[in-house]
Amino acid sequence: GCHPIERGPLRSAAVRRAVIFDAYPHVYGGAQRSAHLLALGLPARGWHLDVVTTGEGVLTERLLADGIHPHVVAVPEALRGYGRQLSGSRRPRAALNRSGAALSAAVVVPADGTSRVMPDLRRCRRFVTAASPIPDKVRRSAPVPLTDEPVIATTGRLHPDKGFDVAIDALAVVRRSVPDARLVVVGGAQDGYEHLTDELLDRARRLGVDGAVTFTGFHPDPHEVVAGARAYLQPARERTEVLPLAIVEAMATGVPVAATDVGAVADVVRPGETGHLVPPEDPGAMAQALVSLLGDQAAAERMRVAAFELVAPPARTEEAFVGTVADLYDDLCGS
């Protein structure tokens, strides 16, 4: 069963009930971090909370460590296939968005640009943006010192949608101009893709850059690795991304960003202003952006400061995120 935690006085005497469902406890990306944050914050705002998920994994381990006991339910095998289940056609995904939004009292998204890639979500009665929160442990009062070492960091679960193969192709091009450039990939293999590390290393060997690519595996605090890099790269393909929290965290750390123009990434990575935006699956354009970040000190400094200021406002704190969702829930129940 689920045992709600007490974290300070309740906002009202009436305790309302909410359920958070996450189907992919074996990963701990932006969606899982947000679910975890709500599980911690909503009880203190008058909500009795149940967390429902589908098995063991990083998410369930972290919930249990905080005294939150999720319900585990069996799900169809198809639902366990995280990522690319609907990548063959946009039509099934659009139908799901359309019907789901029509049934919803409200849809909450991490960025306004979400509606550009999923316009059917606006069929709901209420469309709310809750900015992706920067974890308190990542927030800084000033950007980290920018290292001179030509280290490129990227983070994410090892899955084809993340585009790490394209990143390796880009690194081979970058090293023609910056011979000592290195790529550090932070993240563990997703269930079912344990073979991907070996495939990526084989690709690096064929391109002659295997000595310049490091896979760290799962890291509990990837921002610590990113903080020591000269540039952050998000090479994701278009299939599953909306607005990767890793991009926002890199900006909040003070590391200049190059990212593919997928989902709502353009909401925060503004070309030439807060970073470089490149087409997905284009290693040449990616390499050009990275060479600029590694070689043009003045431009890198200007963009990373602008990016830091963009994501620094209180609207991106953990407290603000939980407050936005709690206020929405209160309003919906009150109405």
Side-chain angles (χ1 to χ4, degrees):
C2 178
H3 306 285
I5 56 176
E6 298 293 336
R7 294 183 180 275
L10 300 178
R11 187 163 57 179
S12 65
V15 180
R16 298 168 179 174
R17 187 168 188 174
V19 176
I20 293 176
F21 173 70
D22 192 285
Y24 310 113
H26 56 282
V27 297
Y28 196 76
Q32 289 72 35
R33 293 187 200 184
S34 296
H36 190 176
L37 188 57
L38 291 172
L40 289 170
L42 286 175
R45 295 169 182 263
W47 289 89
H48 176 111
L49 193 71
D50 288 328
V51 180
V52 181
T53 187
T54 61
E56 303 300 324
V58 182
L59 175 61
T60 50
E61 290 170 4
R62 294 196 174 192
L63 289 171
L64 289 168
D66 282 325
I68 303 167
H69 297 259
H71 298 277
V72 176
V73 298
V75 298
E77 189 62 32
L79 187 57
R80 296 178 183 273
Y82 183 67
R84 306 187 87 174
Q85 282 299 117
L86 300 176
S87 63
S89 170
R90 291 178 182 271
R91 295 178 66 183
R93 178 169 43 186
L96 285 171
N97 287 339
R98 186 161 53 248
S99 59
L103 291 169
S104 299
V107 169
V108 182
V109 297
D112 291 337
T114 307
S115 61
R116 292 195 301 271
V117 292
M118 292 182 280
D120 287 308
L121 291 182
R122 285 197 175 271
R123 291 174 177 263
C124 65
R125 280 167 278 174
R126 190 165 174 181
F127 190 81
V128 178
T129 299
S132 299
I134 299 168
D136 290 343
K137 63 182 178 181
V138 177
R139 296 186 71 86
R140 297 170 182 269
S141 58
V144 296
L146 191 59
T147 180
D148 292 328
E149 294 293 319
V151 177
I152 304 159
T154 184
T155 69
R157 55 190 167 84
L158 296 188
H159 185 282
D161 287 358
K162 292 298 184 179
F164 295 131
D165 55 328
V166 186
I168 290 172
D169 292 350
L171 177 67
V173 179
V174 168
R175 283 172 65 89
R176 298 172 192 168
S177 302
V178 187
D180 52 347
R182 292 180 286 126
L183 176 67
V184 179
V185 182
V186 185
Q190 182 183 310
D191 288 2
Y193 289 91
E194 291 81 3
H195 60 280
L196 195 56
T197 302
D198 289 339
E199 290 182 2
L200 292 170
L201 284 171
D202 285 342
R203 190 183 196 93
R205 276 191 287 270
R206 292 196 303 271
L207 293 171
V209 297
D210 50 305
V213 180
T214 301
F215 291 89
T216 70
F218 174 78
H219 194 294
D221 295 304
H223 63 277
E224 294 180 357
V225 179
V226 173
R230 170 64 185 228
Y232 179 79
L233 173 64
Q234 191 75 21
R237 293 180 162 90
E238 189 175 8
R239 296 185 183 103
T240 58
E241 297 293 359
V242 177
L243 178 57
L245 182 59
I247 292 178
V248 180
E249 289 188 359
M251 296 168 74
T253 301
V255 177
V257 170
T260 49
D261 188 6
V262 298
V265 170
D267 279 18
V268 294
V269 182
R270 300 168 183 171
E273 180 185 344
T274 61
H276 288 299
L277 207 59
V278 301
E281 304 197 59
D282 188 338
M286 197 176 290
Q288 184 177 0
L290 290 169
V291 169
S292 174
L293 293 178
L294 296 176
D296 190 335
Q297 177 80 21
E301 187 69 31
R302 173 176 49 78
M303 285 189 287
R304 81 187 189 107
V305 169
F308 184 87
E309 292 174 351
L310 177 68
V311 301
R316 287 194 179 274
T317 62
E318 293 181 348
E319 181 180 3
F321 173 75
V322 174
T324 297
V325 176
D327 289 345
L328 174 63
Y329 284 3
D330 286 346
D331 190 38
L332 290 173
C333 287
S335 61

